[in-house]
Amino acid sequence: MKFVRYGDAGREKPGMLDAHGVLRDLSRVVDGIAGEALTKEGIGRLLALDPGALPAVAGTPRLGAPVGRGGKIICVGLNYADHAAESGQPVPQQPVIFMKATSAIVGAFDDVVIPPGSVKTDWEVELGVVIGDTARNVPRETA
């Protein structure tokens, strides 16, 4: 089961792809693939659903960004030796941490918006990790 957001940009609905690749509508179950739906309990409730009982979505709608209403994007740069070498930089002693705007999140087939005046655009694919539950002062042994 894979969770998706589908429909016109800015008006996506929550959905899931079942084991047979059929897109199923989740909009009667959750209001979005965001917030409470991404907590441990929320994901558990979604996984407990019978996909066959959910309405199938007709056609082949656009698949949007996989999650909505993101809080922040924290990035780790130069996180593998080949990337550092490609950039002509030494492997850092500590992680290089930076942030990106949530407007950088786009669907797999959406246009990438390049800001006016941009002189260098680098094509990259990023792996995103969604942390749905609050985590503060987590002991190393349970992290």
Side-chain angles (χ1 to χ4, degrees):
M1 175 180 313
K2 297 177 182 176
F3 301 114
V4 299
R5 294 172 62 243
Y6 69 94
D8 295 335
R11 297 174 36 138
E12 293 90 350
K13 290 183 175 184
M16 73 164 59
L17 293 174
D18 68 17
H20 305 289
V22 175
L23 177 57
R24 303 284 179 168
D25 182 11
L26 279 172
S27 62
R28 292 185 182 156
V29 180
V30 293
D31 68 349
I33 306 298
E36 193 280 328
L38 294 175
T39 63
K40 184 176 181 180
E41 291 80 19
I43 294 270
R45 282 191 292 277
L46 292 174
L47 292 174
L49 294 172
D50 172 13
L54 298 168
V57 177
T60 53
R62 167 191 166 272
L63 293 181
V67 295
R69 300 189 312 268
K72 59 181 99 29
I73 303 173
I74 301 171
C75 307
V76 180
L78 300 176
N79 55 336
Y80 58 97
D82 286 352
H83 188 220
E86 175 186 278
S87 303
Q89 298 182 33
V91 175
Q93 294 291 320
Q94 297 291 321
V96 176
I97 307 293
F98 60 98
M99 295 184 74
K100 285 192 175 191
T102 55
S103 60
I105 302 172
V106 297
F109 303 104
D110 290 348
D111 291 336
V112 174
V113 178
I114 299 172
S118 176
V119 295
K120 182 178 181 220
T121 302
D122 192 9
W123 296 95
E124 291 186 324
V125 175
E126 305 294 348
L127 169 66
V129 177
V130 175
I131 301 172
D133 289 307
T134 300
R136 289 190 181 99
N137 303 315
V138 178
R140 180 180 295 269
E141 59 274 6
T142 59

